[in-house]
Amino acid sequence: MYKGKKFILFISFLVILLILGISLIKFQEKPLKIIMLNIGQGDAIYIETPNGNNMLIDAGRDRTVMHELGDVMPINKKTIDFIEVSNPDLDHIGGFPFVMEKYKVREILSPGTKHDSLDSYKAIEKIAKEDKIPVIRPKTGDIIMIDNKSAITYKILWPEGNVSNWEVNAGSMVGLLEYSGHKILFTGDAPKEVEDQIILKYGASLKDIDILKVGHHGSKTSTGEALTMIARPKYSIISAGLNNRYGHPHEETLDMLNLVHSKILITANDGRIVCKVWIKKETVCI
């Protein structure tokens, strides 16, 4: 009888351990993921929230983005909640038609700048019209809820108004992703002049950035001293092709980021860059 009781107690103990283990797995914190895809000379950033919502900011110049998405997206995921065209240059939009043909896109964010001469631009418009995908042109101050449950928001800092006929870099969309006190700044190809306008309006919000998507692939025309000094990003991530003809990223930009002790990661050297933003842990980019 005594041995029987010991056995029952032992089994009960194992069951309790199992229940606790399952509970820990179930309630283990999932991070917000910011993944700069390795697509060569261009931009493509995949965002996945703790609850599985997602966003793709730019898509590189060709179908290379499809291989990258295949590696980072859950295999059963067939939907992208938001795609953002930060600006309509080929190195930002060339991959979007391939993405839109494979994945169901719920909404397109666009600053409204145009590049009618590009086949990719025309293809995006055509697919959006055929699939009845809403094309939203948010303006400065608009806030987009990326994940209601985790309260992840995307605040538009630029453009300020109608930029349909602007030079595309000056009309780039700039957005601030916020999650439980953490801040990730996406700058497209916005030049220093635009950065200065954003600082005038949103300077307080730009202090102590966790992750900075460095503007214009690290060009010296972006990521000026004013923005760098106020943002002081913990991590600076740069998408640039190996041995690209533009010399991106420029030494001036890297020197400025080093001055504030930002850890710099560049796709040309580091390949795909994966950042994880936690509530209870330190943000990490590798």
Side-chain angles (χ1 to χ4, degrees):
M1 179 68 74
Y2 178 69
K3 287 184 177 180
K5 286 183 178 178
K6 284 183 69 177
F7 180 74
I8 291 170
L9 285 171
F10 178 69
I11 294 298
S12 300
F13 179 69
L14 287 179
V15 169
I16 291 168
L17 283 179
L18 182 62
I19 291 170
L20 285 172
I22 292 170
S23 297
L24 284 172
I25 292 171
K26 184 177 180 181
F27 294 107
Q28 186 177 23
E29 182 189 351
K30 292 181 179 179
L32 166 65
K33 295 179 183 177
I34 313 293
I35 305 174
M36 180 168 271
L37 304 177
N38 186 20
I39 46 80
Q41 182 65 16
D43 267 0
I45 301 165
Y46 178 72
I47 300 166
E48 185 177 287
T49 76
N51 295 302
N53 294 9
N54 61 1
M55 180 176 185
L56 179 65
I57 299 178
D58 296 326
R61 65 175 54 245
D62 53 36
R63 64 169 64 247
T64 305
V65 68
M66 299 306 294
H67 173 74
E68 285 287 295
L69 285 176
D71 282 351
V72 301
M73 286 182 69
I75 195 166
N76 60 343
K77 189 77 171 176
K78 304 299 179 187
T79 300
I80 297 178
D81 297 302
F82 301 93
I83 66 172
E84 179 194 304
V85 177
S86 74
N87 79 67
D89 275 339
L90 181 63
D91 60 333
H92 291 252
I93 69 169
F96 272 134
F98 304 106
V99 172
M100 295 168 73
E101 286 169 1
K102 178 171 181 180
Y103 297 98
K104 179 181 178 181
V105 174
R106 296 193 189 280
E107 200 166 297
I108 299 172
L109 307 179
S110 169
T113 43
K114 296 181 179 179
H115 209 317
D116 295 331
S117 62
L118 284 180
D119 289 341
S120 299
Y121 185 87
K122 295 172 186 174
I124 293 168
E125 287 193 319
K126 182 174 182 290
I127 297 169
K129 186 176 180 180
E130 290 174 349
D131 293 352
K132 295 181 172 58
I133 305 170
V135 179
I136 311 301
R137 305 200 193 285
K139 301 299 182 220
T140 179
D142 289 351
I143 296 176
I144 297 154
M145 186 61 71
I146 303 297
D147 185 328
N148 273 293
K149 191 173 181 181
S150 296
I152 297 174
T153 60
Y154 189 59
K155 185 173 185 176
I156 306 301
L157 308 185
W158 194 264
E160 203 164 42
N162 186 345
V163 293
S164 57
N165 296 315
W166 284 34
E167 188 274 328
V168 292
N169 288 345
S172 281
M173 188 174 289
V174 177
L176 184 67
L177 191 71
E178 296 185 84
Y179 173 45
S180 191
H182 296 285
K183 296 183 284 189
I184 303 96
L185 181 61
F186 299 93
T187 57
D189 282 354
K192 293 175 184 177
E193 294 77 14
V194 167
E195 294 172 0
D196 292 342
Q197 291 298 311
I198 292 169
I199 290 167
L200 284 173
K201 193 164 188 176
Y202 296 107
S205 300
L206 299 177
K207 291 180 179 179
D208 302 319
I209 296 294
D210 290 73
I211 303 165
L212 170 67
K213 199 296 293 188
V214 176
H216 203 178
H217 322 290
S219 169
K220 61 186 177 183
T221 61
S222 299
T223 318
E225 181 178 1
L227 179 62
T228 306
M229 289 302 172
I230 196 169
R232 296 184 174 272
K234 181 178 180 181
Y235 289 97
S236 297
I237 58 177
I238 302 173
S239 182
L242 185 65
N243 301 321
N244 66 83
R245 64 189 177 95
Y246 308 101
H248 294 158
H250 292 149
E251 285 299 322
E252 295 95 320
T253 303
L254 299 179
D255 288 344
M256 185 61 63
L257 292 167
N258 280 319
L259 196 62
V260 296
H261 307 292
S262 184
K263 183 173 180 180
I264 303 167
L265 296 170
I266 309 166
T267 55
N269 303 330
D270 302 296
R272 184 188 307 147
I273 299 166
V274 178
C275 299
K276 294 182 180 180
V277 181
W278 313 81
I279 295 176
K280 299 178 181 178
K281 302 179 186 178
E282 286 290 319
T283 294
V284 175
C285 294
I286 57 173

